[in-house]
Amino acid sequence: MAQMNMKEAIRDALRVELKRDPNVLLFGEDVGHVGGVFRATEGLQKEFGEERVFDTPLAESAIGGLAVGLGIQGFRPVAEIQFVGFIFEALDQMAIQASRMRYRSGGRYNSPIVFRTPFGGGVKAAELHTDSLEGLLAQTPGIKVVVPSNPYDAKGLMIASIRDNDPVFFMEHLNLYHAFRAEVPENDYTVELGKANVVREGSDVTIITYGMMVHTSIKAADELEKTKGIKVEIIDLRTISPIDIDTVVASIQKTNRAIVVQEAQKSSGVAAEVIAQINEKAILHLEAPVLRVAGPDTVYPFAQIEDTWLPTPTRIIDAVNKVLEF
Amino acid sequence: MSKVPYEVYTEEVEALSVLSPDGEIINKDMLPKLTDDQLKEIMYRMVFTRTWDDRAVNLGRQGRLGFYAPVSGQEATMVGSEYALQKEDFIAPGYRDIPQIVWHGLPLYQAFLYSRGHQHGGQVPDGVNVLMPQIIIGAQILHAMGIAMGYKLKKQKQVAITYTGDGGSSEGDFYEGLNYAGVYKLPVIFFVQNNGYAITTPFSKQTAALSIAHKAVAAGIKGVKIDGMDVLAVIKAVQEAAERGRNGEGATLIEAVTYRFRPHSLSDDATKYRSKEEEGEWNAKDPIARFAKYLEKKGLWTEEDTARVKEEAKAKVNEEIKKAEKTEKMTIPGLIDSMFETTPKHLEEQKADFK
Ligand SMILES: Cc1ncc(C[n+]2csc(CCOP(=O)(O)OP(=O)(O)O)c2C)c(N)n1
């Protein structure tokens, strides 16, 4: 097996799929010749040619619309929106057009598109490059939203997303691109969409999270175990729409306590949805209210104070203590 | 039967220059009216801007600046276009257009704070008619269009100018802005700095049109293409466009052909997509060198002047970065309170998480 960081794993997934299926196309701003602003697609144009991997003019709505049209023609577009803050320019095409193609055409057409976008805070990027907008798309019927937290998952989820016949919004956390290397099989394999992963087993409390916050939660869990002997179970959702509530419920039946950690602003997001579903499916197993650790409901404060804005291990530990002491 | 004369719009247009590369006047009728002192001031500002850009790149490397897009090579478009305006005119910039807003009155330390992600960077002082730099490419074009409509409704003889790049001219917002400005005959100037690249994507991959100036035709506004390495051509074109705006004759699209000597931002590597030869060709068109030749011949500028301005600029930049660094840090409770005029209850509660 090879050692890859998350960026290399994503590139590897794209290469596998470009090779396997001539209908897979890769495009977006700057993705072709130099391989994207993070070099996630570096070398792919050279290997597969300008017809399959190409730079587009600077227009996100057109990138989204191009993907929709190509999907109708039977291609499998992987369209990059350079940074998450620019999805708004493409939102009509992603959230309105692509997501309802199957419905509107009575199943005649579909949108086998992957919209890739880097996002995520803690890297001191410019304004509107890091915001966590996943909740916005998660609320859109007809679209799946994937947020990998490690290289193995990233490759398997990307391959599964490309092979999926519905639109997938694939979000790549900036802080995870180069964070660490892990074993990644060189062959093709998939990680099922809509399936969560128990990344750490525990019996006292469940943390439900995804993306970068998996790692922040692990830090908090290590600390809780070391200082107080508290055994935390951590669930990495991997796909935040649809949410794998069964895995969450099974865990809560065991621990009876939970918190949800997300980078995004607190209100109306993924954490709220997870808690609503827990209420529907597992309320009698709860010994305490489920708490959220999240960014406050402000605009994302780029650079200056993002380290205090983003959920920290300390804030997670406080929340765990609260539900344990309830 | 006569044919539709569509050929008219497919002709290559020559970029207007006033100065030749060795500083000779080649287009006498186009010479803007400027006093010797004004000519010297323009040179001062260009040299200052180049020095500040050099320093900013270093400050970036030291981690003392945040996001910063270099400007060297574009001094003629940036300094010249702002100089052609009046203080009351409004500027809606893109992320690279910081020299324009600083020369229009935004204190330099605030530009540094903006770069470092401090919200005070965008708190433009009263009486300074600029917006903070825009990250969403094209959004500012629509803001300028709206600001111009405000001037028109208030019957004020002011104009709004907005900047974007060759890449930005592909955005839907660009076309929508041009179209509205045409329909409502708005006093707005769309200034496109065509520096040949959008991050790494070359102009040839941006549009099949022969020029961006052609795009004015479809919106029913005036379009001109100018030599963006020639500060006098820039001033002339913007003066004329502003004049037309003030006289109620509507909007102008200016395409200025220029070059950025450095990569797109501090985290890019231009060698991946540009050749040494190309960089050399453009270096030979350096707007500062060209204008200096003109001024030297007129006896208005010497090398010592350049050296003096550089020292002044360095000292000023040092002072201003220190001021930025001494500015009180933002806090999360402060941020929360800046969201609404009256902070709602749920946000008051959220402050408790950050004690
Ligand atoms: C809506 C939007 N899409 C993409 C980006 C990312 N991006 C930042 S600069 C840039 C290229 C801009 O090129 P151009 O308009 O030619 O301006 P230049 O930087 O060359 O002055 C891109 C794609 C962005 N900031 N906003």
Side-chain angles (χ1 to χ4, degrees), chain B residues 278-307:
Chain B
E278 177 187 296
E279 290 183 8
E281 272 168 41
W282 281 96
N283 268 321
K285 296 182 192 165
D286 188 327
I288 295 184
R290 185 193 301 198
F291 194 52
K293 281 180 199 154
Y294 172 66
L295 294 189
E296 279 162 16
K297 279 177 206 157
K298 283 173 86 78
L300 295 176
W301 198 262
T302 62
E303 271 177 31
E304 290 79 70
D305 289 321
T306 300

PDB file of all heavy atoms in Angstrom, chain B residues 278-307:
ATOM      1  N   GLU B 278       8.582  35.805 -22.154  1.00  0.00           N
ATOM      2  CA  GLU B 278       7.402  36.651 -22.025  1.00  0.00           C
ATOM      3  C   GLU B 278       7.619  37.685 -20.911  1.00  0.00           C
ATOM      4  O   GLU B 278       7.343  38.869 -21.090  1.00  0.00           O
ATOM      5  CB  GLU B 278       6.194  35.781 -21.707  1.00  0.00           C
ATOM      6  CG  GLU B 278       4.933  36.597 -21.482  1.00  0.00           C
ATOM      7  CD  GLU B 278       3.764  35.743 -21.008  1.00  0.00           C
ATOM      8  OE1 GLU B 278       3.329  34.869 -21.768  1.00  0.00           O
ATOM      9  OE2 GLU B 278       3.292  35.983 -19.874  1.00  0.00           O
ATOM     10  N   GLU B 279       8.146  37.241 -19.806  1.00  0.00           N
ATOM     11  CA  GLU B 279       8.374  38.171 -18.702  1.00  0.00           C
ATOM     12  C   GLU B 279       9.353  39.265 -19.122  1.00  0.00           C
ATOM     13  O   GLU B 279       9.180  40.436 -18.784  1.00  0.00           O
ATOM     14  CB  GLU B 279       8.883  37.419 -17.467  1.00  0.00           C
ATOM     15  CG  GLU B 279       7.800  36.550 -16.862  1.00  0.00           C
ATOM     16  CD  GLU B 279       8.233  35.826 -15.583  1.00  0.00           C
ATOM     17  OE1 GLU B 279       9.332  36.107 -15.067  1.00  0.00           O
ATOM     18  OE2 GLU B 279       7.461  34.985 -15.126  1.00  0.00           O
ATOM     19  N   GLY B 280      10.362  38.860 -19.894  1.00  0.00           N
ATOM     20  CA  GLY B 280      11.351  39.824 -20.373  1.00  0.00           C
ATOM     21  C   GLY B 280      10.727  40.888 -21.267  1.00  0.00           C
ATOM     22  O   GLY B 280      10.996  42.081 -21.124  1.00  0.00           O
ATOM     23  N   GLU B 281       9.870  40.427 -22.180  1.00  0.00           N
ATOM     24  CA  GLU B 281       9.201  41.372 -23.088  1.00  0.00           C
ATOM     25  C   GLU B 281       8.407  42.412 -22.315  1.00  0.00           C
ATOM     26  O   GLU B 281       8.397  43.591 -22.650  1.00  0.00           O
ATOM     27  CB  GLU B 281       8.216  40.623 -23.994  1.00  0.00           C
ATOM     28  CG  GLU B 281       8.837  40.102 -25.261  1.00  0.00           C
ATOM     29  CD  GLU B 281       7.896  39.123 -25.955  1.00  0.00           C
ATOM     30  OE1 GLU B 281       6.667  39.381 -25.991  1.00  0.00           O
ATOM     31  OE2 GLU B 281       8.400  38.092 -26.437  1.00  0.00           O
ATOM     32  N   TRP B 282       7.726  41.945 -21.292  1.00  0.00           N
ATOM     33  CA  TRP B 282       6.896  42.884 -20.528  1.00  0.00           C
ATOM     34  C   TRP B 282       7.739  43.770 -19.630  1.00  0.00           C
ATOM     35  O   TRP B 282       7.398  44.930 -19.401  1.00  0.00           O
ATOM     36  CB  TRP B 282       5.826  42.133 -19.742  1.00  0.00           C
ATOM     37  CG  TRP B 282       4.685  41.743 -20.624  1.00  0.00           C
ATOM     38  CD1 TRP B 282       4.511  40.546 -21.236  1.00  0.00           C
ATOM     39  CD2 TRP B 282       3.587  42.569 -21.030  1.00  0.00           C
ATOM     40  NE1 TRP B 282       3.355  40.565 -21.991  1.00  0.00           N
ATOM     41  CE2 TRP B 282       2.768  41.790 -21.882  1.00  0.00           C
ATOM     42  CE3 TRP B 282       3.201  43.892 -20.746  1.00  0.00           C
ATOM     43  CZ2 TRP B 282       1.601  42.283 -22.461  1.00  0.00           C
ATOM     44  CZ3 TRP B 282       2.032  44.380 -21.311  1.00  0.00           C
ATOM     45  CH2 TRP B 282       1.254  43.582 -22.171  1.00  0.00           C
ATOM     46  N   ASN B 283       8.835  43.218 -19.121  1.00  0.00           N
ATOM     47  CA  ASN B 283       9.730  44.050 -18.315  1.00  0.00           C
ATOM     48  C   ASN B 283      10.192  45.270 -19.103  1.00  0.00           C
ATOM     49  O   ASN B 283      10.337  46.365 -18.562  1.00  0.00           O
ATOM     50  CB  ASN B 283      10.945  43.243 -17.858  1.00  0.00           C
ATOM     51  CG  ASN B 283      10.698  42.601 -16.512  1.00  0.00           C
ATOM     52  OD1 ASN B 283      10.089  43.207 -15.635  1.00  0.00           O
ATOM     53  ND2 ASN B 283      11.139  41.369 -16.354  1.00  0.00           N
ATOM     54  N   ALA B 284      10.393  45.054 -20.395  1.00  0.00           N
ATOM     55  CA  ALA B 284      10.843  46.154 -21.250  1.00  0.00           C
ATOM     56  C   ALA B 284       9.781  47.239 -21.388  1.00  0.00           C
ATOM     57  O   ALA B 284      10.067  48.347 -21.844  1.00  0.00           O
ATOM     58  CB  ALA B 284      11.226  45.607 -22.629  1.00  0.00           C
ATOM     59  N   LYS B 285       8.541  46.899 -21.013  1.00  0.00           N
ATOM     60  CA  LYS B 285       7.469  47.901 -21.117  1.00  0.00           C
ATOM     61  C   LYS B 285       7.126  48.510 -19.750  1.00  0.00           C
ATOM     62  O   LYS B 285       6.077  49.130 -19.595  1.00  0.00           O
ATOM     63  CB  LYS B 285       6.207  47.239 -21.682  1.00  0.00           C
ATOM     64  CG  LYS B 285       6.376  46.725 -23.095  1.00  0.00           C
ATOM     65  CD  LYS B 285       5.072  46.134 -23.583  1.00  0.00           C
ATOM     66  CE  LYS B 285       5.290  45.360 -24.876  1.00  0.00           C
ATOM     67  NZ  LYS B 285       4.175  44.490 -25.220  1.00  0.00           N
ATOM     68  N   ASP B 286       7.968  48.260 -18.785  1.00  0.00           N
ATOM     69  CA  ASP B 286       7.722  48.733 -17.413  1.00  0.00           C
ATOM     70  C   ASP B 286       7.165  50.162 -17.394  1.00  0.00           C
ATOM     71  O   ASP B 286       7.796  51.093 -17.901  1.00  0.00           O
ATOM     72  CB  ASP B 286       9.046  48.671 -16.626  1.00  0.00           C
ATOM     73  CG  ASP B 286       8.836  48.960 -15.150  1.00  0.00           C
ATOM     74  OD1 ASP B 286       7.936  49.766 -14.815  1.00  0.00           O
ATOM     75  OD2 ASP B 286       9.580  48.379 -14.337  1.00  0.00           O
ATOM     76  N   PRO B 287       5.974  50.341 -16.828  1.00  0.00           N
ATOM     77  CA  PRO B 287       5.336  51.664 -16.888  1.00  0.00           C
ATOM     78  C   PRO B 287       6.126  52.754 -16.154  1.00  0.00           C
ATOM     79  O   PRO B 287       6.045  53.931 -16.516  1.00  0.00           O
ATOM     80  CB  PRO B 287       3.986  51.432 -16.209  1.00  0.00           C
ATOM     81  CG  PRO B 287       4.160  50.212 -15.367  1.00  0.00           C
ATOM     82  CD  PRO B 287       5.161  49.362 -16.089  1.00  0.00           C
ATOM     83  N   ILE B 288       6.859  52.344 -15.132  1.00  0.00           N
ATOM     84  CA  ILE B 288       7.606  53.358 -14.370  1.00  0.00           C
ATOM     85  C   ILE B 288       8.816  53.827 -15.178  1.00  0.00           C
ATOM     86  O   ILE B 288       9.081  55.022 -15.300  1.00  0.00           O
ATOM     87  CB  ILE B 288       8.022  52.788 -12.991  1.00  0.00           C
ATOM     88  CG1 ILE B 288       6.756  52.514 -12.171  1.00  0.00           C
ATOM     89  CG2 ILE B 288       8.964  53.745 -12.264  1.00  0.00           C
ATOM     90  CD1 ILE B 288       6.992  52.046 -10.757  1.00  0.00           C
ATOM     91  N   ALA B 289       9.521  52.874 -15.776  1.00  0.00           N
ATOM     92  CA  ALA B 289      10.696  53.230 -16.574  1.00  0.00           C
ATOM     93  C   ALA B 289      10.293  54.127 -17.750  1.00  0.00           C
ATOM     94  O   ALA B 289      10.963  55.117 -18.068  1.00  0.00           O
ATOM     95  CB  ALA B 289      11.372  51.958 -17.084  1.00  0.00           C
ATOM     96  N   ARG B 290       9.189  53.783 -18.379  1.00  0.00           N
ATOM     97  CA  ARG B 290       8.746  54.544 -19.542  1.00  0.00           C
ATOM     98  C   ARG B 290       8.396  55.985 -19.171  1.00  0.00           C
ATOM     99  O   ARG B 290       8.817  56.941 -19.819  1.00  0.00           O
ATOM    100  CB  ARG B 290       7.511  53.866 -20.164  1.00  0.00           C
ATOM    101  CG  ARG B 290       7.088  54.565 -21.443  1.00  0.00           C
ATOM    102  CD  ARG B 290       5.718  54.163 -21.934  1.00  0.00           C
ATOM    103  NE  ARG B 290       5.584  52.733 -22.218  1.00  0.00           N
ATOM    104  CZ  ARG B 290       4.597  52.237 -22.969  1.00  0.00           C
ATOM    105  NH1 ARG B 290       3.699  53.031 -23.511  1.00  0.00           N
ATOM    106  NH2 ARG B 290       4.505  50.956 -23.162  1.00  0.00           N
ATOM    107  N   PHE B 291       7.663  56.134 -18.094  1.00  0.00           N
ATOM    108  CA  PHE B 291       7.252  57.464 -17.688  1.00  0.00           C
ATOM    109  C   PHE B 291       8.462  58.272 -17.190  1.00  0.00           C
ATOM    110  O   PHE B 291       8.555  59.477 -17.427  1.00  0.00           O
ATOM    111  CB  PHE B 291       6.172  57.343 -16.601  1.00  0.00           C
ATOM    112  CG  PHE B 291       5.440  58.626 -16.331  1.00  0.00           C
ATOM    113  CD1 PHE B 291       4.866  59.363 -17.366  1.00  0.00           C
ATOM    114  CD2 PHE B 291       5.284  59.098 -15.025  1.00  0.00           C
ATOM    115  CE1 PHE B 291       4.174  60.549 -17.114  1.00  0.00           C
ATOM    116  CE2 PHE B 291       4.594  60.276 -14.768  1.00  0.00           C
ATOM    117  CZ  PHE B 291       4.041  61.003 -15.811  1.00  0.00           C
ATOM    118  N   ALA B 292       9.391  57.556 -16.543  1.00  0.00           N
ATOM    119  CA  ALA B 292      10.601  58.236 -16.057  1.00  0.00           C
ATOM    120  C   ALA B 292      11.373  58.832 -17.231  1.00  0.00           C
ATOM    121  O   ALA B 292      11.867  59.972 -17.153  1.00  0.00           O
ATOM    122  CB  ALA B 292      11.476  57.247 -15.276  1.00  0.00           C
ATOM    123  N   LYS B 293      11.462  58.073 -18.324  1.00  0.00           N
ATOM    124  CA  LYS B 293      12.186  58.591 -19.506  1.00  0.00           C
ATOM    125  C   LYS B 293      11.555  59.892 -19.996  1.00  0.00           C
ATOM    126  O   LYS B 293      12.245  60.847 -20.339  1.00  0.00           O
ATOM    127  CB  LYS B 293      12.159  57.556 -20.640  1.00  0.00           C
ATOM    128  CG  LYS B 293      13.175  56.441 -20.447  1.00  0.00           C
ATOM    129  CD  LYS B 293      13.112  55.442 -21.599  1.00  0.00           C
ATOM    130  CE  LYS B 293      13.758  54.139 -21.169  1.00  0.00           C
ATOM    131  NZ  LYS B 293      13.234  52.992 -21.908  1.00  0.00           N
ATOM    132  N   TYR B 294      10.241  59.888 -20.035  1.00  0.00           N
ATOM    133  CA  TYR B 294       9.511  61.082 -20.473  1.00  0.00           C
ATOM    134  C   TYR B 294       9.819  62.270 -19.552  1.00  0.00           C
ATOM    135  O   TYR B 294      10.154  63.369 -20.002  1.00  0.00           O
ATOM    136  CB  TYR B 294       8.010  60.760 -20.494  1.00  0.00           C
ATOM    137  CG  TYR B 294       7.108  61.941 -20.755  1.00  0.00           C
ATOM    138  CD1 TYR B 294       7.113  62.601 -21.981  1.00  0.00           C
ATOM    139  CD2 TYR B 294       6.193  62.370 -19.788  1.00  0.00           C
ATOM    140  CE1 TYR B 294       6.267  63.669 -22.223  1.00  0.00           C
ATOM    141  CE2 TYR B 294       5.336  63.442 -20.019  1.00  0.00           C
ATOM    142  CZ  TYR B 294       5.385  64.089 -21.241  1.00  0.00           C
ATOM    143  OH  TYR B 294       4.538  65.143 -21.475  1.00  0.00           O
ATOM    144  N   LEU B 295       9.742  62.009 -18.257  1.00  0.00           N
ATOM    145  CA  LEU B 295       9.954  63.098 -17.299  1.00  0.00           C
ATOM    146  C   LEU B 295      11.409  63.569 -17.286  1.00  0.00           C
ATOM    147  O   LEU B 295      11.686  64.758 -17.134  1.00  0.00           O
ATOM    148  CB  LEU B 295       9.534  62.666 -15.889  1.00  0.00           C
ATOM    149  CG  LEU B 295       8.050  62.397 -15.671  1.00  0.00           C
ATOM    150  CD1 LEU B 295       7.760  62.192 -14.182  1.00  0.00           C
ATOM    151  CD2 LEU B 295       7.165  63.522 -16.194  1.00  0.00           C
ATOM    152  N   GLU B 296      12.330  62.613 -17.426  1.00  0.00           N
ATOM    153  CA  GLU B 296      13.755  62.985 -17.430  1.00  0.00           C
ATOM    154  C   GLU B 296      14.051  63.929 -18.596  1.00  0.00           C
ATOM    155  O   GLU B 296      14.751  64.931 -18.448  1.00  0.00           O
ATOM    156  CB  GLU B 296      14.643  61.736 -17.500  1.00  0.00           C
ATOM    157  CG  GLU B 296      14.818  61.081 -16.128  1.00  0.00           C
ATOM    158  CD  GLU B 296      15.303  59.638 -16.192  1.00  0.00           C
ATOM    159  OE1 GLU B 296      15.802  59.211 -17.272  1.00  0.00           O
ATOM    160  OE2 GLU B 296      15.167  58.937 -15.169  1.00  0.00           O
ATOM    161  N   LYS B 297      13.464  63.608 -19.757  1.00  0.00           N
ATOM    162  CA  LYS B 297      13.670  64.467 -20.926  1.00  0.00           C
ATOM    163  C   LYS B 297      13.119  65.866 -20.694  1.00  0.00           C
ATOM    164  O   LYS B 297      13.637  66.846 -21.207  1.00  0.00           O
ATOM    165  CB  LYS B 297      12.996  63.863 -22.163  1.00  0.00           C
ATOM    166  CG  LYS B 297      13.849  62.790 -22.796  1.00  0.00           C
ATOM    167  CD  LYS B 297      13.145  62.142 -23.965  1.00  0.00           C
ATOM    168  CE  LYS B 297      13.685  60.733 -24.138  1.00  0.00           C
ATOM    169  NZ  LYS B 297      12.788  59.837 -24.834  1.00  0.00           N
ATOM    170  N   LYS B 298      12.052  65.932 -19.908  1.00  0.00           N
ATOM    171  CA  LYS B 298      11.471  67.245 -19.613  1.00  0.00           C
ATOM    172  C   LYS B 298      12.189  67.930 -18.445  1.00  0.00           C
ATOM    173  O   LYS B 298      11.803  69.028 -18.031  1.00  0.00           O
ATOM    174  CB  LYS B 298       9.988  67.091 -19.225  1.00  0.00           C
ATOM    175  CG  LYS B 298       9.054  66.862 -20.396  1.00  0.00           C
ATOM    176  CD  LYS B 298       7.632  66.538 -19.929  1.00  0.00           C
ATOM    177  CE  LYS B 298       6.766  67.752 -19.648  1.00  0.00           C
ATOM    178  NZ  LYS B 298       6.228  68.407 -20.840  1.00  0.00           N
ATOM    179  N   GLY B 299      13.177  67.246 -17.889  1.00  0.00           N
ATOM    180  CA  GLY B 299      13.918  67.817 -16.758  1.00  0.00           C
ATOM    181  C   GLY B 299      13.139  67.823 -15.459  1.00  0.00           C
ATOM    182  O   GLY B 299      13.385  68.626 -14.565  1.00  0.00           O
ATOM    183  N   LEU B 300      12.177  66.914 -15.359  1.00  0.00           N
ATOM    184  CA  LEU B 300      11.324  66.901 -14.162  1.00  0.00           C
ATOM    185  C   LEU B 300      11.679  65.801 -13.174  1.00  0.00           C
ATOM    186  O   LEU B 300      11.159  65.767 -12.060  1.00  0.00           O
ATOM    187  CB  LEU B 300       9.853  66.728 -14.579  1.00  0.00           C
ATOM    188  CG  LEU B 300       9.229  67.854 -15.388  1.00  0.00           C
ATOM    189  CD1 LEU B 300       7.804  67.489 -15.805  1.00  0.00           C
ATOM    190  CD2 LEU B 300       9.220  69.156 -14.593  1.00  0.00           C
ATOM    191  N   TRP B 301      12.533  64.884 -13.580  1.00  0.00           N
ATOM    192  CA  TRP B 301      12.784  63.728 -12.698  1.00  0.00           C
ATOM    193  C   TRP B 301      14.212  63.237 -12.894  1.00  0.00           C
ATOM    194  O   TRP B 301      14.742  63.305 -14.011  1.00  0.00           O
ATOM    195  CB  TRP B 301      11.811  62.592 -13.040  1.00  0.00           C
ATOM    196  CG  TRP B 301      11.691  61.574 -11.940  1.00  0.00           C
ATOM    197  CD1 TRP B 301      12.346  60.379 -11.861  1.00  0.00           C
ATOM    198  CD2 TRP B 301      10.865  61.663 -10.785  1.00  0.00           C
ATOM    199  NE1 TRP B 301      11.974  59.720 -10.721  1.00  0.00           N
ATOM    200  CE2 TRP B 301      11.062  60.483 -10.029  1.00  0.00           C
ATOM    201  CE3 TRP B 301       9.975  62.639 -10.297  1.00  0.00           C
ATOM    202  CZ2 TRP B 301      10.414  60.240  -8.825  1.00  0.00           C
ATOM    203  CZ3 TRP B 301       9.319  62.387  -9.102  1.00  0.00           C
ATOM    204  CH2 TRP B 301       9.538  61.202  -8.371  1.00  0.00           C
ATOM    205  N   THR B 302      14.817  62.754 -11.790  1.00  0.00           N
ATOM    206  CA  THR B 302      16.157  62.172 -11.877  1.00  0.00           C
ATOM    207  C   THR B 302      16.175  60.863 -11.090  1.00  0.00           C
ATOM    208  O   THR B 302      15.240  60.571 -10.351  1.00  0.00           O
ATOM    209  CB  THR B 302      17.212  63.100 -11.236  1.00  0.00           C
ATOM    210  OG1 THR B 302      16.874  63.235  -9.844  1.00  0.00           O
ATOM    211  CG2 THR B 302      17.252  64.460 -11.896  1.00  0.00           C
ATOM    212  N   GLU B 303      17.273  60.149 -11.249  1.00  0.00           N
ATOM    213  CA  GLU B 303      17.415  58.904 -10.487  1.00  0.00           C
ATOM    214  C   GLU B 303      17.420  59.163  -8.983  1.00  0.00           C
ATOM    215  O   GLU B 303      16.952  58.338  -8.201  1.00  0.00           O
ATOM    216  CB  GLU B 303      18.698  58.181 -10.883  1.00  0.00           C
ATOM    217  CG  GLU B 303      18.480  57.244 -12.052  1.00  0.00           C
ATOM    218  CD  GLU B 303      19.746  56.570 -12.515  1.00  0.00           C
ATOM    219  OE1 GLU B 303      20.633  56.327 -11.661  1.00  0.00           O
ATOM    220  OE2 GLU B 303      19.854  56.309 -13.723  1.00  0.00           O
ATOM    221  N   GLU B 304      17.987  60.307  -8.602  1.00  0.00           N
ATOM    222  CA  GLU B 304      18.003  60.637  -7.167  1.00  0.00           C
ATOM    223  C   GLU B 304      16.579  60.778  -6.634  1.00  0.00           C
ATOM    224  O   GLU B 304      16.293  60.409  -5.495  1.00  0.00           O
ATOM    225  CB  GLU B 304      18.761  61.955  -6.890  1.00  0.00           C
ATOM    226  CG  GLU B 304      20.260  61.880  -7.105  1.00  0.00           C
ATOM    227  CD  GLU B 304      20.629  61.966  -8.589  1.00  0.00           C
ATOM    228  OE1 GLU B 304      20.474  63.064  -9.167  1.00  0.00           O
ATOM    229  OE2 GLU B 304      21.056  60.937  -9.162  1.00  0.00           O
ATOM    230  N   ASP B 305      15.696  61.327  -7.480  1.00  0.00           N
ATOM    231  CA  ASP B 305      14.296  61.443  -7.049  1.00  0.00           C
ATOM    232  C   ASP B 305      13.722  60.065  -6.741  1.00  0.00           C
ATOM    233  O   ASP B 305      13.049  59.862  -5.730  1.00  0.00           O
ATOM    234  CB  ASP B 305      13.442  62.121  -8.135  1.00  0.00           C
ATOM    235  CG  ASP B 305      13.775  63.613  -8.259  1.00  0.00           C
ATOM    236  OD1 ASP B 305      13.999  64.247  -7.212  1.00  0.00           O
ATOM    237  OD2 ASP B 305      13.818  64.113  -9.399  1.00  0.00           O
ATOM    238  N   THR B 306      14.008  59.139  -7.646  1.00  0.00           N
ATOM    239  CA  THR B 306      13.499  57.777  -7.441  1.00  0.00           C
ATOM    240  C   THR B 306      14.024  57.219  -6.124  1.00  0.00           C
ATOM    241  O   THR B 306      13.258  56.662  -5.320  1.00  0.00           O
ATOM    242  CB  THR B 306      13.912  56.867  -8.617  1.00  0.00           C
ATOM    243  OG1 THR B 306      13.354  57.418  -9.817  1.00  0.00           O
ATOM    244  CG2 THR B 306      13.400  55.446  -8.432  1.00  0.00           C
ATOM    245  N   ALA B 307      15.321  57.390  -5.899  1.00  0.00           N
ATOM    246  CA  ALA B 307      15.920  56.854  -4.669  1.00  0.00           C
ATOM    247  C   ALA B 307      15.282  57.484  -3.434  1.00  0.00           C
ATOM    248  O   ALA B 307      14.974  56.804  -2.449  1.00  0.00           O
ATOM    249  CB  ALA B 307      17.431  57.112  -4.688  1.00  0.00           C
TER     250      ALA B 307
END
